[in-house]
Amino acid sequence: MEVLYFAWVRERIGLPKERIETGAETVADLVKDLCAREERYAAAFADLTALRVALDQELSSFDAPLAGVREVAFFPPMTGG
Amino acid sequence: MEVLYFAWVRERIGLPKERIETGAETVADLVKDLCAREERYAAAFADLTALRVALDQELSSFDAPLAGVREVAFFPPMTGG
Amino acid sequence: MRIIVQDAPFDPGEELNSFVAATKGAGAVVTFTGLVRDIASGDLDVMEIEHYPGMTESALNSIATEAQSRWALADVLVIHRYGRLYPQDPIMMVATASRHRKAAFEAAEFLMDYLKSRAPFWKKEITKDGSDWVASKDEDEDVLKRW
Amino acid sequence: MRIIVQDAPFDPGEELNSFVAATKGAGAVVTFTGLVRDIASGDLDVMEIEHYPGMTESALNSIATEAQSRWALADVLVIHRYGRLYPQDPIMMVATASRHRKAAFEAAEFLMDYLKSRAPFWKKEITKDGSDWVASKDEDEDVLKRW
């Protein structure tokens, strides 16, 4: 699936998006997988309460299942307006 | 004193303003004096709840004293905006 | 603060842009523009707005000053026309600027609520069949209670 | 309904005038314009706004559609910029048109409240000494409860 990062999440991980093959069943599982890979992921995901996730461009939650999802995006709380 | 009329009060009385010499002590007394003069005043002042009064360009009430007042205005409730 | 009472038309867009240009440091600008609305029967020819010269300006000034004392506003604008207006013409406009959106919104609503029933304007709707003075609404008086 | 997400500047006054011209029959038009505000230290060089192409448009569309279902609106406009902006630049604008002022005001506030924390934009403030991502405020989340 496509994984996208925005704002300081993008800066900490060091790239705006990547293709990831994963057997993770939920968003939380995917986060665990990523954190196990490299320090920069662990740094970005250190505090999940400071993060939001969207699945296929809809706000979702970290316990949501990933089945059928094509695009996951991680970002800090939005600051529009 | 100067007495001004606006909107349908002006139309019923037939003029926008006039100079009136009166011994009336309150606005209500002045209204009584005017109504006694001619039918068109009685028609304009028939329902005081449908009228507002300003003394020297400040909203006031019918029981307000007229001492020292230079300008009295009668009009229907305002419809600005 | 700028209070304008005039019979000439005004351009809401130009007013918004000048207002924005003049309000340094405010992050939030709210405007309300009131337009001449056609009547139910759809045949409004003209709206005639009468006002009380002198009292109008001082009433608008008091309302705007009261808004400035209640909210932290960088600026306030009130424009109101009188005379003959046609359907879709802008009748009036208020603008408020503040650091925060809540203050700008609340102050604009406050201005509108007071302007509706405390500024000495009266509207007459003229059709080819005759004319009617627009009646005030009880709710316009009621909304003042919330402030 | 018109939703615009662009990096190019826009002219709030022109947008207001086009919006007014397009909204036949509505007596009340409310706008909110958000401007780049300088930071406390007074040395903001640039504000960089990042967004999530695709999700931004669909989020703004949902918010505007929700507003139209809750209030009787003749029209809704939402414009939001992204990219590099400078102090005093207009960041975004919403406009609502309705027969009645209450609906126009409420819908504009609703749009702003949701846009603040439900549209995928992130702001970064850049000074000559460095840069900071603007943090969301708890109160921006809290205000959603009133709707």
Side-chain angles (χ1 to χ4, degrees):
Chain A
M1 67 185 57
E2 209 73 39
V3 183
L4 282 67
Y5 310 109
F6 292 98
W8 56 256
V9 183
R10 171 180 55 70
E11 291 179 338
R12 284 193 200 171
I13 291 175
L15 79 182
K17 67 156 113 181
E18 57 187 323
R19 208 170 169 80
I20 287 184
E21 301 306 325
T22 176
E25 289 188 3
T26 66
V27 175
D29 293 341
L30 170 62
V31 170
K32 249 180 258 165
D33 281 4
L34 290 169
C35 289
R37 289 185 174 200
E38 276 182 64
E39 178 51 32
R40 56 197 171 103
Y41 291 99
F45 290 111
D47 177 11
L48 290 190
T49 66
L51 288 180
R52 300 290 178 269
V53 61
L55 302 183
D56 290 330
Q57 307 193 354
E58 289 273 356
L59 268 186
S60 188
S61 60
F62 285 89
D63 56 5
L66 287 178
V69 169
R70 291 177 315 264
E71 187 172 297
V72 180
F74 294 104
F75 41 77
M78 297 163 269
T79 54
Chain B
M1 67 184 60
E2 209 73 38
V3 182
L4 282 69
Y5 311 109
F6 293 97
W8 56 255
V9 183
R10 171 180 54 71
E11 292 179 336
R12 285 193 200 168
I13 292 176
L15 79 183
K17 67 157 113 180
E18 58 188 323
R19 203 161 177 86
I20 287 184
E21 300 307 323
T22 174
E25 288 188 3
T26 66
V27 176
D29 294 340
L30 170 62
V31 170
K32 249 179 256 164
D33 281 4
L34 290 169
C35 289
R37 289 184 173 198
E38 277 183 65
E39 177 50 31
R40 57 196 171 103
Y41 292 99
F45 290 112
D47 177 11
L48 290 191
T49 67
L51 288 179
R52 300 289 178 269
V53 61
L55 301 183
D56 290 331
Q57 307 193 352
E58 289 274 355
L59 268 185
S60 188
S61 60
F62 285 88
D63 56 5
L66 288 178
V69 170
R70 290 176 316 264
E71 188 172 294
V72 180
F74 294 103
F75 42 77
M78 297 162 267
T79 54
Chain C
M1 185 168 110
R2 218 156 58 98
I3 308 291
I4 302 162
V5 181
Q6 62 182 28
D7 62 352
F10 67 92
D11 181 310
E14 266 178 39
E15 295 296 339
L16 170 56
N17 281 347
S18 324
F19 188 76
V20 162
T23 56
K24 302 250 182 286
V29 171
V30 169
T31 67
F32 178 94
T33 309
L35 309 170
V36 177
R37 208 168 60 184
D38 205 345
I39 53 180
S41 57
D43 58 358
L44 181 70
D45 283 333
V46 179
M47 174 176 274
E48 238 173 55
I49 301 181
E50 183 169 335
H51 79 123
Y52 183 170
M55 181 171 167
T56 307
E57 289 78 0
S58 70
L60 294 178
N61 252 295
S62 313
I63 295 167
T65 303
E66 177 69 19
Q68 283 191 312
S69 78
R70 288 186 185 216
W71 291 276
L73 302 177
D75 204 1
V76 177
L77 166 71
V78 179
I79 305 177
H80 205 301
R81 291 185 63 190
Y82 58 88
R84 292 170 70 81
L85 283 80
Y86 298 87
Q88 289 288 111
D89 277 359
I91 302 173
M92 50 72 58
M93 178 172 184
V94 304
T96 54
S98 178
R99 284 183 69 78
H100 302 291
R101 73 185 187 283
K102 190 169 166 6
F105 270 119
E106 284 188 1
E109 286 193 79
F110 171 89
L111 289 169
M112 285 308 304
D113 283 354
Y114 271 84
L115 209 146
K116 276 272 163 188
S117 45
R118 290 290 183 274
F121 291 99
W122 300 275
K123 292 175 185 151
K124 192 182 196 174
E125 291 169 338
I126 301 171
T127 65
K128 64 177 184 330
D129 302 322
S131 67
D132 274 307
W133 288 98
V134 173
S136 67
K137 296 193 201 83
D138 289 344
E139 66 192 63
D140 283 334
E141 192 62 35
D142 293 344
V143 294
L144 298 188
K145 289 175 193 139
R146 67 166 160 156
W147 301 112
Chain D
M1 186 168 109
R2 217 157 58 99
I3 308 291
I4 302 163
V5 181
Q6 63 181 29
D7 62 352
F10 68 92
D11 181 313
E14 267 179 36
E15 295 296 340
L16 171 56
N17 281 347
S18 324
F19 188 76
V20 162
T23 55
K24 301 253 183 286
V29 171
V30 169
T31 67
F32 178 94
T33 308
L35 309 170
V36 177
R37 208 168 59 185
D38 205 343
I39 53 180
S41 57
D43 58 358
L44 181 71
D45 283 334
V46 179
M47 173 175 276
E48 239 172 54
I49 301 180
E50 182 169 338
H51 79 122
Y52 184 170
M55 181 172 167
T56 307
E57 289 79 359
S58 70
L60 294 179
N61 252 294
S62 314
I63 296 167
T65 303
E66 177 68 19
Q68 284 191 312
S69 78
R70 289 184 185 217
W71 291 276
L73 301 177
D75 204 1
V76 177
L77 166 71
V78 179
I79 305 178
H80 206 301
R81 291 186 63 190
Y82 58 88
R84 293 171 70 80
L85 283 79
Y86 298 87
Q88 288 289 110
D89 277 359
I91 302 173
M92 50 74 56
M93 179 172 182
V94 305
T96 54
S98 177
R99 284 183 69 78
H100 302 290
R101 73 185 187 283
K102 190 170 163 14
F105 270 120
E106 284 188 2
E109 285 192 80
F110 171 90
L111 289 169
M112 286 308 304
D113 283 353
Y114 271 85
L115 210 145
K116 276 271 162 188
S117 45
R118 290 290 183 273
F121 291 99
W122 300 275
K123 292 177 186 149
K124 192 181 195 173
E125 290 169 338
I126 301 170
T127 64
K128 64 175 183 333
D129 301 323
S131 68
D132 273 307
W133 288 99
V134 174
S136 67
K137 295 194 201 82
D138 289 343
E139 65 191 63
D140 283 333
E141 192 63 35
D142 292 344
V143 293
L144 299 188
K145 289 175 193 140
R146 65 167 161 155
W147 301 111

